[in-house]
C-alpha cells in the first residue's frame, strides 16, 4: 500500500458514513457530535461546513491511490499552534487489523508537528474502546491523568474518556 494524507473532500463523506455499522460504533467515534444514527454524508458535510475552518480545525482523508481508507481531524486546543487534538479517527472497517489505524494516527501526528508546528498532540478515547486504545498506544501515545475525567452519556450509559498525548520530546515515528 502506498498511503498518503490529503485534505477531506465532500465526496469522501458518503464513504466514511458507510463505515459506521452500528450506533454503538458511531458513538465511540463521535460521542454526541452527531445527533442521530445513521450518520449520513449530508450530516458529515454539514459538520464540516460548521466546524472545519482549515485554520484551527483540519480534516484529512487517508487514501491508497484514489481509494479512501481513513479519516481524521485535528483541531487547535490552545490559542497558539503548539497543541493540536486528534478526533474522529476511523479506518475502513473492511481494512481493520492491517495497521492502518496506527499509520493514520502516526501520519496525523507527523503532519501536526511538521505542518502545524505542534509540540503536543492529544486525544480522548472512550475506555470501552480497547482496539482504539491499543492503536493509540502503538502509535506512541501515553495515557495522562487529568484532574477531572471527561464523560458523555451515550446510549443510556455514562462513558468515560481516557486522555492521551504524544509530546514532541518523545520519539517521533516516521510514518510517511
Amino acid at each position: 500500500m502506498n498511503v498518503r494524507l490529503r485534505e477531506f473532500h465532500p465526496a469522501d463523506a458518503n464513504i466514511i458514513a458507510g463505515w459506521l455499522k452500528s450506533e454503538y460504533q458511531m458513538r465511540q467515534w463521535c460521542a454526541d457530535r452527531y445527533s442521530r444514527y445513521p450518520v449520513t454524508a449530508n450530516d458529515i458535510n454539514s459538520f464540516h461546513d460548521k466546524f472545519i475552518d482549515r485554520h484551527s480545525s483540519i480534516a484529512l482523508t487517508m487514501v491508497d491511490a484514489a481509494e479512501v481508507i481513513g479519516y481524521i481531524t485535528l483541531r487547535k486546543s490552545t490559542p497558539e499552534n503548539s497543541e493540536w487534538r486528534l478526533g474522529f479517527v476511523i479506518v475502513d472497517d473492511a481494512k481493520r487489523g492491517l495497521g492502518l489505524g496506527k499509520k493514520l494516527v502516526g501520519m496525523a501526528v507527523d503532519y501536526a508537528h511538521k505542518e502545524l508546528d505542534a509540540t503536543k498532540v492529544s486525544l480522548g478515547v472512550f475506555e470501552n474502546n480497547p482496539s482504539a486504545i491499543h492503536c493509540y498506544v502503538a502509535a506512541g501515545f501515553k495515557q495522562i491523568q487529568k484532574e477531572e475525567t471527561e464523560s458523555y452519556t451515550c446510549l443510556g450509559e455514562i462513558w468515560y474518556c481516557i486522555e492521551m498525548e504524544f509530546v514532541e520530546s518523545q520519539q517521533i515515528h516516521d510514518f510517511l
Side-chain angles (χ1 to χ4, degrees), residues 44-56:
I44 293 172
N45 285 323
S46 293
F47 181 89
H48 278 258
D49 291 345
K50 189 173 182 179
F51 296 108
I52 304 295
D53 65 10
R54 295 184 180 97
H55 300 286
S56 62

Side-chain angles (χ1 to χ4, degrees), residues 7-76:
E7 185 176 305
F8 168 85
H9 299 156
D12 300 339
N14 193 48
I15 297 164
I16 295 161
W19 296 338
L20 301 166
K21 303 293 188 198
S22 71
E23 186 171 5
Y24 187 86
Q25 180 190 36
M26 187 263 303
R27 295 288 167 213
Q28 284 181 314
W29 176 67
C30 74
D32 60 358
R33 299 306 190 263
Y34 291 95
S35 61
R36 62 187 158 84
Y37 177 81
V39 172
T40 67
N42 284 340
D43 295 333
I44 293 172
N45 285 323
S46 293
F47 181 89
H48 278 258
D49 291 345
K50 189 173 182 179
F51 296 108
I52 304 295
D53 65 10
R54 295 184 180 97
H55 300 286
S56 62
S57 55
I58 298 165
L60 300 169
T61 302
M62 184 167 70
V63 295
D64 181 19
E67 182 184 10
V68 173
I69 59 173
Y71 169 81
I72 196 165
T73 64
L74 294 103
R75 70 176 166 80
K76 205 183 319 185

